[in-house]
Amino acid sequence: MTSGKFITLEGGEGVGKSTNVEFILNQLRERGLEVVATREPGGTPFGESVRSLFLHQDNIRPEAELLLLFAARVHHLREVVEPALKRGAWVVCDRFTDASYAYQGAGRGIERSVVDFLRDWIQAGLSPDLTLLLDAPVDTGLGRAQRRSGPDRLEREDAAFFARVREGYLALARAEPRRIRVIDAAQPLPSVQAAIAAQLDTLFSDHA
């Protein structure tokens, strides 16, 4: 059975991940592919419970944040991502382990080696085929996020935290340029989506 492809979207607050997830799903469906849309934390009943706790429970220690996310990731991988890929579906996920490196690693200051250990243990070699990093200046992203509904626990962090998160993401992209493709999310939406479509075309060509 042909294995599917695993696409993840990453980025800080207000970079347009939700809008562009829908764009990607439509691009894939137009090619007749079975597509599974999911998110982290979330994707399963257990993961959605963790998401609610993660976003709304105050005073969660950084170590607990990281462990909660990987606990949810176990269920997500075993129950959603791995079965879908095995049957040949393409999986599109709003955030994955790169977010743990950026938010809990760069943002909260947890050592990279700790995240490495959890990733290697839980993922057992599974990695996205393509990660689209939607990148925008922190003030641009936060300005967009503030126009949405009331901020969750994470969105209440200060600009310095999000600057560390952004640099954490960009460092990951520099380390893995073949997998992680940086998209300038400060551009108008049509330009962002044209850049995304170009990256998807490359993935389609490799899959053909």
Side-chain angles (χ1 to χ4, degrees), residues 55 73 137:
L55 293 179
R73 191 162 289 139

Side-chain angles (χ1 to χ4, degrees), residues 19-151:
T19 298
N20 287 300
V21 163
E22 290 302 317
F23 174 77
I24 292 168
L25 295 175
N26 289 334
Q27 291 282 302
L28 299 180
R29 287 170 180 149
E30 286 175 2
R31 292 174 178 262
L33 297 166
E34 179 191 353
V35 185
V36 173
T38 189
R39 66 181 182 176
E40 287 205 350
T44 66
F46 179 79
E48 292 298 329
S49 296
V50 169
R51 184 183 186 88
S52 179
L53 181 66
F54 180 81
L55 293 179
H56 303 295
Q57 175 67 50
D58 291 332
N59 301 317
I60 302 177
R61 294 188 61 84
E63 303 93 330
E65 270 192 6
L66 183 65
L67 292 170
L68 278 171
L69 291 167
F70 270 94
R73 191 162 289 139
V74 172
H75 285 259
H76 188 222
L77 284 168
R78 307 297 182 260
E79 298 170 23
V80 177
V81 176
E82 291 172 353
L85 294 174
K86 187 174 181 179
R87 69 173 182 266
W90 287 45
V91 177
V92 179
C93 189
D94 183 343
R95 290 209 174 116
F96 190 56
T97 305
D98 292 315
S100 297
Y101 284 102
Y103 279 83
Q104 285 71 50
R108 302 287 193 215
I110 293 177
E111 290 290 334
R112 181 186 174 94
S113 61
V114 176
V115 188
D116 286 344
F117 169 76
L118 292 169
R119 177 202 61 193
D120 294 346
W121 178 33
I122 299 305
Q123 294 174 219
L126 176 66
S127 180
D129 296 284
L130 173 66
T131 296
L132 297 169
L133 172 56
L134 302 181
D135 176 65
V138 170
D139 55 353
T140 300
L142 291 180
R144 292 172 178 172
Q146 288 167 1
R147 293 194 288 271
R148 304 190 305 228
S149 57

